[in-house]
Amino acid sequence: VPRVLNLTGARLHADAVLTCDAAMTLHRPGTVDIDDDGRIKWSGPTGDAPARAPGVEHRVEGLLMPGLVNAHGHAPMIALRGLGEGLPLHRWLTEVMWPREARLRADDIVAATSLAASEYLCYGVTTTCEMYFHPARIATALRSAGMRGVVAAAIMEAAPEWLGDWRSQLDGVARFVEECPSDPLITPMIGAHSAYLVGDDALRAVGDLARLQQLAVTIHVAESAHESDSLSAAHGGASVPRLLADLGLFDGVRVLAAHAVWLDDADIELFARHGVAVAHCPGSNAKLASGTARVRDLRTAGVPVALGTDGAASGDDLDIWEEARLAALLARLQADDATALQAADAIAMATREGAAALGVDAGTLAPGRFADILRIDLRDPGFVPHLDDADLLAHLLWSVPRRAIRDVWVAGRHVVVDGECTTVDVDAAAAAVQATAARIAG
Ligand SMILES: [Zn+2]
């Protein structure tokens, strides 16, 4: 690959193209045509490519596949990476996270999000759903990194006073949506922190705003057993999904439930009936001992299940590959069945199903989708031996490390070139985050 290879209006030939469509089709060799707007025009076996190429033709080695989708992140929390090691969720939040977050300033957000974006992109994550404060700063940083973002302006009450009441926070959300740049990279969303930190009136108002502005909503749901028990006790025994449904949040609103660990069969049925998607965060859930989400049951019921890194405070790295591996490992242990979640399923969750959960035109290399593409080095020893397509898929999930992700494009723009993120000044962002972390430590 030459140093920088922008793909808008170009044809790309590769040794292999994994489309991540429903059949996980692999073309060897494969070809992808990209239009002038950075969307895929055609993909398929090289021998079947249309006679007329869109423009310049390039030949690259290795495997092309769609960029990965992170359905639940808090990018600015990279400034709190790994803090509170060994604490359970409630103590971790109240003793370590919130005191520091109260000292975080709007000025800290851009550098932290930029650093997170460079890490995401190097792991092959091209789309991220971010829930945090200062959403306009997050959108600015993601756009400048050339990364696709679904940016959820967060509402949180009954916690740090510095945030103001929920009405003023909701006004802020509406303002963010109104002022959100019309850029195909950025989609605004509403983030209600959770049913334990957003009260009933505020949740009803979130549903109303979402219906009015046709916005999706993301919310932490039943992340820990403690949360479910105490909320349920306060709501006449209703589960968290049931109480959200009773508040009208699922009526005519596309909802993405983060974590969704403590669900019973009726909750899963409720999600399926209302088209609620789940952002499964196995790494964060395991680290905080929150529990293991019922991924196989959710998928069997038809609930879209995407993968999330969560913030770097509890997720540490921003690696969706690792979440895909953990999702498969934990699903198998939970079911006591090695067929519970296959490599192809885990890869689909990281790509096609993630994009579907977020409602973005990405996640498969198919006409009309954005040209968010990874190039993976098939000469990496992690692919040895491989004798057939099934081996390739299995190695892609289980044994191929980050070093094999050599190039990343978002809407055809080359953002990771030979393993290096070229759109972020990583040293400057890292120095700024280091200074922020020292200041907010208090
Ligand atoms: Zn979260």
Side-chain angles (χ1 to χ4, degrees):
V1 176
R3 273 309 284 171
V4 173
L5 186 66
N6 288 315
L7 297 181
T8 41
R11 167 169 284 182
L12 196 56
H13 300 291
D15 296 324
V17 171
L18 178 66
T19 60
C20 290
D21 63 1
M24 277 287 162
T25 309
L26 185 68
H27 304 296
R28 296 206 214 208
T31 293
V32 182
D33 286 348
I34 293 108
D35 71 15
D36 292 334
D37 298 323
R39 289 187 187 252
I40 291 165
K41 204 169 168 183
W42 186 87
S43 73
T46 299
D48 295 351
R52 265 172 63 105
V56 198
E57 292 189 55
H58 304 283
R59 166 91 186 80
V60 294
E61 292 187 326
L63 169 85
L64 305 181
M65 65 174 287
L68 310 183
V69 176
N70 177 27
H72 184 68
H74 312 285
M77 293 182 89
I78 202 164
L80 296 90
R81 170 139 52 200
L83 295 182
E85 160 59 24
L87 290 179
L89 180 65
H90 187 72
R91 288 190 56 201
W92 177 81
L93 280 175
T94 54
E95 295 173 24
V96 184
M97 293 298 121
W98 291 344
R100 284 172 176 77
E101 287 184 309
R103 297 184 202 110
L104 210 53
R105 297 194 291 243
D107 292 347
D108 301 320
I109 300 296
V110 171
T113 304
S114 300
L115 187 64
S118 71
E119 184 170 331
Y120 281 137
L121 290 170
C122 287
Y123 279 124
V125 177
T126 50
T127 299
T128 186
C129 178
E130 293 295 324
M131 182 206 280
Y132 211 66
F133 314 105
H134 309 297
R137 309 264 175 149
I138 293 172
T140 299
L142 293 177
R143 288 175 82 201
S144 134
M147 185 169 182
R148 194 173 304 292
V150 177
V151 181
I155 292 178
M156 178 162 128
E157 57 170 346
E161 310 77 42
W162 54 274
L163 283 170
D165 69 11
W166 67 262
R167 283 188 179 80
S168 65
Q169 292 182 46
L170 203 62
D171 288 346
V173 171
R175 212 161 39 244
F176 164 64
V177 171
E178 199 176 314
E179 291 166 7
C180 196
S182 97
D183 180 331
L185 281 179
I186 303 295
T187 309
M189 194 183 202
I190 308 178
H193 182 280
S194 59
Y196 64 96
L197 289 182
V198 185
D200 295 358
D201 291 344
L203 285 170
R204 276 193 208 93
V206 163
D208 290 341
L209 181 67
R211 276 182 290 274
L212 186 70
Q213 304 263 23
Q214 300 199 323
L215 294 165
V217 172
T218 187
I219 178 166
H220 296 97
V221 175
E223 177 174 355
S224 72
H226 166 76
E227 166 198 342
S228 295
D229 293 348
S230 52
L231 270 174
S232 173
H235 286 82
S239 67
V240 182
R242 181 74 255 168
L243 84 89
L244 294 175
D246 289 347
L247 292 168
L249 195 67
F250 298 162
D251 299 335
V253 180
R254 211 153 52 76
V255 174
L256 175 64
H259 300 280
V261 175
W262 295 91
L263 305 183
D264 64 20
D265 292 346
D267 297 331
I268 291 177
E269 203 268 321
L270 196 63
F271 277 9
R273 187 147 34 93
H274 288 94
V276 175
V278 166
H280 176 42
C281 305
S284 172
N285 293 341
K287 194 178 179 213
L288 296 173
S290 301
T292 304
R294 297 172 59 188
V295 172
R296 181 158 75 166
D297 297 337
L298 285 161
R299 295 178 89 244
T300 304
V303 175
V305 183
L307 295 170
T309 55
D310 212 351
S314 59
D316 298 85
D317 60 20
L318 302 178
D319 181 2
I320 281 290
W321 292 111
E322 184 182 77
E323 302 300 333
R325 286 177 195 151
L326 280 169
L329 291 170
L330 294 175
R332 293 174 187 192
L333 274 175
Q334 188 180 45
D336 194 19
D337 176 358
T339 69
L341 197 75
Q342 305 276 345
D345 297 325
I347 293 169
M349 288 165 69
T351 54
R352 182 182 71 249
E353 294 174 21
L358 295 182
V360 296
D361 289 342
T364 63
L365 299 184
R369 302 293 177 112
F370 287 110
D372 298 355
I373 300 175
L374 315 183
R375 185 182 74 85
I376 295 182
D377 184 0
L378 289 175
R379 295 167 312 175
D380 190 281
F383 281 111
V384 179
H386 94 260
L387 306 176
D388 59 23
D389 292 356
D391 289 344
L392 191 144
L393 268 186
H395 295 337
L396 197 56
L397 179 68
W398 296 113
S399 58
V400 171
R402 171 183 169 178
R403 66 169 185 261
I405 305 168
R406 302 313 305 167
D407 292 278
V408 179
W409 293 269
V410 178
R413 180 182 177 198
H414 208 173
V415 293
V416 172
V417 179
D418 201 23
E420 302 274 337
C421 178
T422 53
T423 51
V424 174
D425 182 342
V426 176
D427 290 343
V433 168
Q434 178 72 21
T436 296
R439 196 193 76 239
I440 64 177

